[in-house]
Amino acid sequence: MSELGVSAMLLAVGVLVLTDALTMEGNFIQRGPVGPKTVPVVVGCGLLLVAVLLAVDVLRGGRGEAEGGEDVDLSEPGDWRTVALLAGIFLANAALIGPLGFPASGALLFWGSAYALGSRNLTRDPLIAAVLSVTTFVVFDNLLGVPLPGGPLMEVL
């Protein structure tokens, strides 16, 4: 019955996301019909729908399939080095986003994540990370109206 546990977790996360989204301050006149609430509301409703559909399926006798097609050797231990590197990168991003701003900390996050997951191209990876970070900043800050900390680069972007 672990599937019912997953369904309960999805339901709880969906309620949390919807509650948080619906209590956000947002002015329709300033932002238009699509603002910062739109995506969280859609995601929250999707989580609730999936939770209900999964619960109904499990209660009707549906069961998940065993992992047959995966190329994973379940007898091998987990790769804790990669998990620790990724956790450290996320924590560093959380600590640096204020003083450095999103473009710089996001670039470090993207580059560090690529490195932790095995990419070792020292010319391509930082360039792609910088482009992804600046693009994400511009889309969220300028197009969606979701303010992100710009840090020292605020005057440039």
Side-chain angles (χ1 to χ4, degrees):
M1 286 292 180
S2 64
E3 290 96 348
L4 283 178
V6 171
S7 179
M9 182 195 67
L10 289 172
L11 183 71
V13 171
V15 168
L16 178 69
V17 168
L18 273 177
T19 303
D20 201 31
L22 295 175
T23 58
M24 285 176 68
E25 300 261 342
N27 190 345
F28 179 77
I29 296 169
Q30 280 183 328
R31 302 207 188 276
V34 178
K37 288 183 178 184
T38 306
V39 172
V41 168
V42 169
V43 169
C45 290
L47 285 167
L48 293 179
L49 177 66
V50 169
V52 169
L53 291 174
L54 178 61
V56 168
D57 181 54
V58 170
L59 293 174
R60 287 184 175 173
R63 296 288 177 257
E65 293 181 24
E67 292 187 39
E70 296 283 332
D71 287 340
V72 176
D73 186 3
L74 296 177
S75 65
E76 291 292 320
D79 185 5
W80 291 107
R81 178 184 178 274
T82 301
V83 172
L85 280 172
L86 286 171
I89 291 161
F90 283 117
L91 289 174
N93 181 52
L96 295 174
I97 197 167
L100 295 181
F102 183 83
S105 70
L108 291 173
L109 172 72
F110 293 138
W111 186 18
S113 298
Y115 181 85
L117 294 172
S119 181
R120 299 293 187 264
N121 191 322
L122 297 178
T123 54
R124 180 194 64 205
D125 293 346
L127 182 62
I128 291 173
V131 169
L132 278 174
S133 183
V134 170
T135 302
T136 302
F137 177 79
V138 169
V139 166
F140 274 84
D141 198 59
N142 297 340
L143 299 179
L144 295 176
V146 178
L148 294 174
L153 294 176
M154 183 60 99
E155 300 300 321
V156 177
L157 300 174

